[in-house]
């Protein structure tokens, strides 16, 4: 449901259809997400004598608290990864960068701007690609400088 609402605000009916679930189940989960402060009411409109509600995420991204582990985000990314198809542009790499504190701050700002780029809107021609960005101080021993 969160991944659907990342695309755009949606009604209970739209969420129900996309998830192939029941309206009651979807409404329950929307209420749980609202109570947790992750989803809010984006607007209402009158339809056939009733009021249709449209819901949106409070934020399209998640930022972990400094003392939280990254396991939740890593598990979420792993769970939504589809098997690679021939010609897919996917790219996953883990490496260490040796940076000064100022360089790390500058890189974090660049990554934050990329992760919050508003141009990633769903259309009939587009497919979803995940972007998991993490810049962290690694617990990696340092080799002595060659001399």
């Amino acid at each position: 449901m969160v991944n659907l609402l990342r695309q755009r605000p949606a009604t209970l009916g739209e969420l129900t259809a996309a998830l192939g679930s029941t309206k009651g189940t979807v409404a329950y989960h929307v209420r749980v997400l609202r109570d947790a402060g992750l989803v809010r009411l984006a607007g209402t409109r009158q339809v056939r004598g009733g009021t249709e509600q449209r819901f949106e995420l409070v934020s399209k991204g998640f930022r972990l608290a400094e003392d939280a582990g990254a396991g939740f985000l890593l598990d979420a990314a792993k769970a939504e990864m589809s098997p690679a198809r021939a010609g897919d542009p996917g790219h996953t790499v883990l490496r260490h960068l040796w940076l000064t504190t100022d360089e790390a701050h500058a890189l974090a700002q660049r990554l934050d701007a990329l992760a919050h780029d508003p141009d990633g809107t769903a259309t009939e021609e587009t497919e979803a690609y995940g972007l998991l960005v993490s810049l962290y101080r690694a617990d990696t021993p340092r080799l002595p400088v060659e001399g």
Side-chain angles (χ1 to χ4, degrees):
M1 188 174 306
V2 169
N3 284 337
L4 290 172
L5 292 173
R6 279 182 178 165
Q7 296 171 40
R8 64 172 176 80
T11 65
L12 288 178
E14 291 171 329
L15 293 169
T16 298
L19 294 169
S21 188
T22 65
K23 200 166 194 175
T25 299
V26 170
Y28 169 79
H29 287 286
V30 166
R31 188 170 52 253
V32 169
L33 291 170
R34 283 184 79 180
D35 291 345
L38 298 174
V39 170
R40 66 181 167 222
L41 184 63
T44 60
R45 71 180 183 134
Q46 293 302 118
V47 289
R48 294 184 301 275
T51 302
E52 180 180 73
Q53 296 179 323
R54 185 168 296 279
F55 299 95
E56 67 183 354
L57 289 177
V58 171
S59 174
K60 288 189 178 187
F62 298 99
R63 183 179 302 266
L64 293 176
E66 300 228 357
D67 59 346
F72 165 76
L73 291 179
L74 295 173
D75 289 344
K78 188 171 77 172
E80 73 177 25
M81 284 182 185
S82 299
R85 296 179 300 208
D88 273 357
H91 178 76
T92 303
V93 64
L94 172 64
R95 66 163 298 195
H96 293 113
L97 305 174
W98 295 91
L99 306 170
T100 66
T101 301
D102 288 343
E103 290 169 332
H105 282 287
L107 179 57
Q109 287 178 329
R110 288 175 40 210
L111 293 172
D112 193 54
L114 177 63
H116 292 93
D117 180 359
D119 292 337
T121 303
T123 67
E124 291 295 325
E125 297 82 32
T126 60
E127 292 187 64
Y129 286 86
L131 175 65
L132 177 63
V133 176
S134 181
L135 180 64
Y136 56 92
R137 187 180 309 278
D139 183 16
T140 303
R142 180 189 309 258
L143 287 172
V145 177
E146 289 185 287

